[in-house]
Amino acid sequence: MEKKYDSIAVGRRKEAVARAYMKLGSGKFSVNGLSLTDYFPLAVMRTAVMQPLSVTKSEKRFDFIITVRGGGKMGQANAVKHAISRAV
């Protein structure tokens, strides 16, 4: 049986909970069915989400499908950041 994802991780921040499904790819993001820029319209939120990939220099190496719920948008962005850092 073929693995669908290379890694699955959960991240939390305050009331927000995010689950990140990671696989090798070209840097695509899907957050609750939307693109990263559509779901997180502010640059500071996108920067927080991308920080673990920037530090490891792997921005274009992995594809992510992310589900997130609860909390506010900034809390969700930090929960996604936590999930991505755990997945990587």
Side-chain angles (χ1 to χ4, degrees), residues 7 11 16-18 20 28-30 34-35 40 58 65-66 77 79-80 83 85:
S7 180
V17 179
K28 297 178 190 169
F29 270 84
S30 172
L34 299 173
S35 70
F40 294 116
S58 55
I65 297 174
I66 298 167
V80 170
S85 64

Side-chain angles (χ1 to χ4, degrees), residues 59-73:
E59 294 95 341
K60 301 290 182 184
R61 190 167 174 210
F62 301 109
D63 290 343
F64 286 94
I65 297 174
I66 298 167
T67 58
V68 63
R69 62 179 175 80
K73 284 287 189 172

Side-chain angles (χ1 to χ4, degrees), residues 4-22:
K4 191 170 182 177
Y5 302 104
D6 294 325
S7 180
I8 300 171
V10 175
R12 295 177 183 86
R13 171 74 176 129
K14 294 186 175 182
E15 294 293 319
V17 179
R19 183 167 280 123
Y21 301 89
M22 181 185 80

Side-chain angles (χ1 to χ4, degrees), residues 27-31 33-43 45-47 49-50 73:
K28 297 178 190 169
F29 270 84
S30 172
V31 182
L34 299 173
S35 70
L36 186 65
T37 55
D38 288 339
Y39 196 80
F40 294 116
L42 298 180
M45 293 178 187
R46 292 190 302 270
T47 302
V49 167
M50 295 300 290
K73 284 287 189 172

